[in-house]
């Protein structure tokens, strides 16, 4: 990336970098049980070690969790998110030895669309970062840890540029796809783009740039907007994203918002928060917080944030990033209120209904 290699040279002593974004280190070690649960219904983070770029979805009483491994796609299945560390992942796909989706498997996300399961993931051609694109798998089984995953190939996004961190929104019977990408083929800053999908594995152009790193807090290391995640509440679509280079301790969450009845493919429909909505934060075992997901408690009464963070400063974009979770509420204007990262030493009440 432009301006990137110079930055790496002066920060290698502080980071464990192996690529250019939040899924850099390709081989996290297996996750041992790490989270503590006490006898009065509380737990401590982290839930999983070596779990960058966490994602969670739920169906039929089970939660399904994924994260970057770099060299495979794995799914955790659990009825209790506070006991996620007791689940054992099922490897559902491994990449081919060579080819366009053979290396650097980043930020997988699992969706149930029209009663089929889809995994969206970023991969590159034999380790060449500039070839990173989005790919799709499909499974007709009721349980995504079972059945057969069919390779639907590359999601041919408009303009066919570098693309990572894809996610899906289904709103009013229309599918939208958001991702982080380059404006051209030369690298540089990462922007957020949006397009329509005609079905879960076919994109419809054009791509629309809805955010670019504007503020200083989005440009630490270099300008980054990545990891977009949709959250719909009170007739508003929120697009929560990660900002700044993950190799710094200034990684944080930003926010875009648009009315649900707006044309989401019009950039002016989106309003960006001028300040981070979660982080940056340094202390109490929470550094470089970001790349989030959301879930609802088993009884449907609580909203929870999942994200990754390092336990110490300077640990960068490697496999020391662990999966954390904490509840969040809503502000008077309806926007999410994520609060501050919970210290590793703090006990948190388990999600309601567990």
């Amino acid at each position: 990336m432009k301006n990137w290699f110079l930055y790496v040279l002066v920060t290698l002593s502080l980071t464990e970098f192996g690529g250019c974004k939040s899924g850099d280190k390709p081989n996290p070690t297996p996750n041992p049980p790490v989270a503590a649960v006490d006898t009065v219904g509380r737990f401590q983070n982290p839930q999983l070690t070596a779990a960058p770029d966490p994602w969670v979805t739920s169906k039929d009483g089970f939660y399904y969790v994924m994260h970057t491994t770099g060299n495979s796609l794995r799914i955790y299945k659990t009825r209790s998110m506070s006991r996620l560390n007791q689940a054992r992942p099922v490897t559902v796909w491994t990449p081919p030895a060579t080819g366009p989706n053979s290396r650097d498997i980043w930020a997988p996300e699992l969706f149930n669309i029209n009663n089929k399961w889809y995994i969206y993931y970023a991969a590159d051609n034999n380790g060449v970062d500039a070839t990173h694109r989005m790919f799709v798998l499909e499974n007709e089984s009721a349980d995504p840890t079972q059945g057969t995953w069919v390779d639907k190939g590359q999601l041919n996004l408009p303009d066919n540029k570098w693309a990572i961190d894809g996610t899906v929104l289904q709103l009013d019977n229309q599918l939208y796809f958001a991702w982080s990408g380059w404006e051209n083929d030369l690298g540089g800053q990462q922007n957020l783009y949006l397009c329509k999908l005609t079905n879960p594995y076919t994109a419809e152009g054009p791509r629309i740039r809805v955010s670019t790193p504007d503020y200083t807090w989005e440009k630490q290391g270099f300008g980054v907007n990545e990891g977009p995640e949709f959250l719909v509440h009170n007739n508003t679509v929120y697009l929560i994203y990660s900002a700044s280079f993950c190799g710094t301790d200034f990684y944080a969450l930003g926010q875009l918002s648009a009315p649900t009845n707006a044309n989401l493919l019009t950039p002016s429909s989106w309003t960006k928060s001028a300040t981070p909505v979660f982080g940056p934060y340094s202390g109490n075992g929470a550094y470089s917080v970001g790349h989030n997901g959301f879930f609802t408690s088993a009884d449907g009464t609580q909203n929870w944030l999942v994200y990754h963070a390092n336990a110490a400063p300077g640990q960068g974009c490697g496999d020391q990033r662990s999966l954390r979770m904490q509840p969040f509420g809503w502000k008077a204007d309806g926007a999410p209120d994520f609060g501050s990262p919970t210290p590793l030493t703090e006990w948190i009440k388990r999600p309601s209904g567990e």
Side-chain angles (χ1 to χ4, degrees), residues 25 45 52 55 71 156 184 193 209 223 272 294 331:
K25 197 149 184 179
N45 283 317
W55 169 257
N71 56 11
N156 291 310
N184 50 45
Y193 297 92
R209 188 178 66 192
K272 177 185 280 193
F294 308 105
K331 299 177 182 178

Side-chain angles (χ1 to χ4, degrees), residues 55-277:
W55 169 257
V56 58
T57 191
S58 61
K59 192 175 189 298
D60 299 330
F62 288 98
Y63 294 97
Y64 299 98
V65 176
M66 302 189 75
H67 62 76
T68 292
T69 71
N71 56 11
S72 66
L73 297 177
R74 300 195 305 235
I75 300 175
Y76 296 77
K77 179 181 179 181
T78 182
R79 288 190 181 274
S80 172
M81 281 296 291
S82 68
R83 291 190 170 93
L84 174 62
N85 63 88
Q86 297 176 18
R88 286 295 172 261
V90 176
T91 298
V92 298
W93 181 83
T94 54
T98 61
N101 60 339
S102 60
R103 291 275 299 277
D104 299 326
I105 314 301
W106 292 348
E109 296 197 2
L110 173 70
F111 293 87
N112 190 276
I113 303 171
N114 300 330
N115 294 317
K116 294 181 182 180
W117 291 101
Y118 295 90
I119 294 176
Y120 298 85
Y121 66 96
D124 66 31
N125 193 334
N126 298 307
V128 179
D129 174 56
T131 65
H132 253 111
R133 298 295 188 272
M134 294 301 307
F135 297 84
V136 190
L137 300 173
E138 180 186 70
N139 189 342
E140 296 186 4
S141 173
D143 182 341
T145 65
Q146 300 178 13
T148 301
W149 284 96
V150 177
D151 187 354
K152 305 300 285 187
Q154 181 179 332
L155 179 60
N156 291 310
L157 296 170
D159 297 337
N160 191 29
K161 303 297 184 183
W162 186 87
I164 62 170
D165 294 355
T167 195
V168 174
L169 170 68
Q170 190 165 20
L171 183 68
D172 296 332
N173 297 317
Q174 175 63 56
L175 292 172
Y176 297 90
F177 194 79
W179 72 98
S180 177
W182 295 345
E183 186 69 14
N184 50 45
D185 295 318
L186 302 177
Q189 70 181 18
Q190 294 174 220
N191 306 311
L192 297 183
Y193 297 92
L194 192 65
C195 75
K196 287 184 177 181
L197 299 180
T198 56
N199 61 46
Y201 46 86
T202 305
E204 179 181 61
R207 68 169 181 167
I208 304 300
R209 188 178 66 192
V210 295
S211 183
T212 190
D214 299 309
Y215 298 105
T216 300
W217 56 270
E218 299 178 284
K219 300 178 182 180
Q220 299 303 301
F222 68 101
V224 174
N225 283 179
E226 64 182 12
E229 302 297 351
F230 290 106
L231 180 65
V232 180
H233 181 69
N234 282 358
N235 299 315
T236 301
V237 178
Y238 296 96
L239 192 57
I240 308 300
Y241 64 94
S242 299
S244 286
F245 168 47
C246 63
T248 71
D249 293 333
F250 300 101
Y251 206 49
L253 296 184
Q255 176 182 288
L256 300 170
S257 61
T260 53
N261 62 0
N263 182 351
L264 301 185
L265 296 177
T266 299
S268 60
S269 295
W270 295 93
T271 301
K272 177 185 280 193
S273 173
T275 57
V277 293

